[in-house]
Amino acid sequence: MSLSIGIVGLANVGKSTLFETLTKKPVAISNYPFCTIDPNVGIVEVADERLNTLAQLFNSAKKIPTVVQFTDIAGLVRNAHKGEGLGNQFLANIREVDAILFVVRCFENLEIIHVEKTVDPVRDIDIVNMELILKDLETLDKRIQKVAADAKTGKKVIADELEILKKLKEWLENGNLARQFISTTGDEVSSLRSLPSSSTSLILSSVSKELQLLTAKPALFILNSNTTIVAPELEKKIKDLNSDYVLASLRDEYDGSKLSEDEKKELGLSDSKLNEIIRKSYQVLGLITFFTTGPDETRAWTIKKGTKGPQAAGTIHTDFENKFICAEVIGWEKLIKIGGENPNQDAWSAAARLGQLKTEGKEYVVQDGDIMVIKHGQ
C-alpha cells in the first residue's frame, strides 16, 4: 500500500525544514514566503525495530521496510481559495495526498517573516482550515447541482445523497470540517434519522472518496516550537478538530539530522521526533503493519486496520488474495520469545512444534505485528 502525506501550512512555518529532515533531500529553505513553488516529493523508509529484530532472528539476506511518500506543498495564505498567493496550486496538491501533516509555527523569531505579521497558532490553524472549507464548499456546490438534476428522475438513492450533501454543506458553512461530519454515526447526523445508519455511512464514504474533500483528509499537527509547552487553547483546538499533535523543534531536528549518533550523544541532543511523526501518521490513517520473514527476506507490509486475511495476502501478490486458503499466524513478540528460548532450532519450526502457530481462515482480521505465512492454491 502506497502512502502519501502532504506537509501543509502557512508560508514560513517550517514545512520545507521538516521535509528535508525526513527525506534527506535538499530543498530551498528561506525566510521569505513562497520559496517552495512546485511540490517536492521524497520517499522515507519507516523505522521499525520489529523488522530489525526479526531480520536478526532469521539472519535474513534482505530487510525491506515499509515506505511513506512525503510531499512538501507550497505555503498557503489567506484567500488561497480565490487564488491568492499560490492558492489554487496549493489546494490542488492537497487533493492528491492521503493525509496532511499540518505544520504550525509556535516559535518567535523576528528574522523569519510571518505572513500574518504575528505568531498565533490558533489563528493560523483557523486560516488554513477556512481556506480548505471554502474550497470544499465550491466542490460541494457543483456536486449538489448535478445530483439535484439527477434526483428529478425519482431514484431514492440519489435523493438520499442530495439530502446528505445539503447537510454536509450546512455543516461546512458553520465552520466545521468534513472529517468531523463523516466520523459521526448516522444517528448523530441531525435530520438524517429517516435514513439507516449504514446507508448514511455508505453514502458519506462514497461521496468523500469521489470528491476528495480537503477537510475530510486525516490530519496530524506538527507544532514547531522551541519550548516544551503547549498552550491550553491550542491543545483544545486540535482536540476539537479530532486530531493529534507532535511537539518538535524542526530546526533542532534538521540540525540533528546532519550529525552522527555519537555526535548527538556528545552534544546531549534528545531523541528525534521523526519516528513519532511517522508513527502517528500511521495512526491517523488507521494503518497497521504485518510481517513476512525467513532466511531470504524479512519484509514489513502496510494495510488498513480491520483488513482480513485474503486482502492482506493481496498486498503481497494479487494471486494470494484470489487463491487464499488460510494463513499461519503468530504475533511478533511471541515468535521472538520462542526464538530466544530455542536458539538451536529455527524459530518458526519451534513455534510450530510448540503449537503456537494459529491457522486462520478468510474471516481473520489481521493484527498489528502479526507474522504471516500465506497458504494459497495454484
Side-chain angles (χ1 to χ4, degrees), residues 274-291:
L274 299 183
N275 288 339
E276 183 182 358
I277 289 172
I278 295 172
R279 178 175 58 80
K280 286 196 172 183
S281 297
Y282 264 57
Q283 289 176 355
V284 299
L285 278 166
L287 300 175
I288 62 172
T289 303
F290 76 94
F291 301 91

Side-chain angles (χ1 to χ4, degrees), residues 296-312:
D296 294 333
E297 173 186 288
T298 292
R299 183 163 184 164
W301 304 88
T302 298
I303 56 173
K304 281 279 189 181
K305 187 176 182 179
T307 298
K308 293 183 178 180
Q311 290 70 48

Side-chain angles (χ1 to χ4, degrees), residues 171 179-189 200-201 204 242:
W171 180 265
R179 68 172 174 269
Q180 295 167 301
F181 185 89
I182 292 169
S183 66
T184 59
T185 66
D187 288 340
E188 291 171 328
V189 178
T200 302
S201 299
L204 279 173
N242 288 1

Side-chain angles (χ1 to χ4, degrees), residues 76-95:
L76 177 143
V77 294
R78 199 185 294 270
N79 292 321
H81 73 285
K82 296 180 180 179
E84 291 293 328
L86 300 172
N88 290 328
Q89 182 174 332
F90 170 96
L91 296 165
N93 291 333
I94 295 179
R95 206 176 297 281

Side-chain angles (χ1 to χ4, degrees), residues 183-329:
S183 66
T184 59
T185 66
D187 288 340
E188 291 171 328
V189 178
S190 61
S191 301
L192 294 178
R193 290 188 176 87
S194 60
L195 294 176
S197 176
S198 58
S199 297
T200 302
S201 299
L202 187 63
I203 293 172
L204 279 173
S205 176
S206 175
V207 166
S208 175
K209 185 175 181 180
E210 185 176 345
L211 299 186
Q212 285 291 294
L213 295 177
L214 305 179
T215 63
K217 295 183 182 294
L220 175 66
F221 288 85
I222 310 301
L223 306 184
N224 189 5
S225 175
N226 49 17
T227 74
T228 58
I229 300 170
V230 180
E233 60 269 26
L234 177 56
E235 199 160 23
K236 182 179 185 302
K237 164 65 71 174
I238 294 170
K239 183 178 180 181
D240 290 345
L241 293 171
N242 288 1
S243 294
D244 198 358
Y245 68 86
V246 175
L247 181 66
S249 169
L250 298 183
R251 172 50 63 179
D252 287 350
E253 292 289 336
Y254 176 80
D255 291 341
S257 69
K258 307 294 183 183
L259 303 175
S260 68
E261 290 302 318
D262 289 340
E263 288 172 326
K264 291 178 188 177
K265 290 178 182 178
E266 185 177 331
L267 294 171
L269 295 179
S270 58
D271 292 337
S272 172
K273 295 293 186 73
L274 299 183
N275 288 339
E276 183 182 358
I277 289 172
I278 295 172
R279 178 175 58 80
K280 286 196 172 183
S281 297
Y282 264 57
Q283 289 176 355
V284 299
L285 278 166
L287 300 175
I288 62 172
T289 303
F290 76 94
F291 301 91
T292 52
T293 189
D296 294 333
E297 173 186 288
T298 292
R299 183 163 184 164
W301 304 88
T302 298
I303 56 173
K304 281 279 189 181
K305 187 176 182 179
T307 298
K308 293 183 178 180
Q311 290 70 48
T315 64
I316 301 173
H317 196 288
T318 305
D319 284 350
F320 290 4
E321 178 177 358
N322 298 334
K323 300 175 182 179
F324 181 90
I325 298 173
C326 64
E328 290 184 333
V329 182

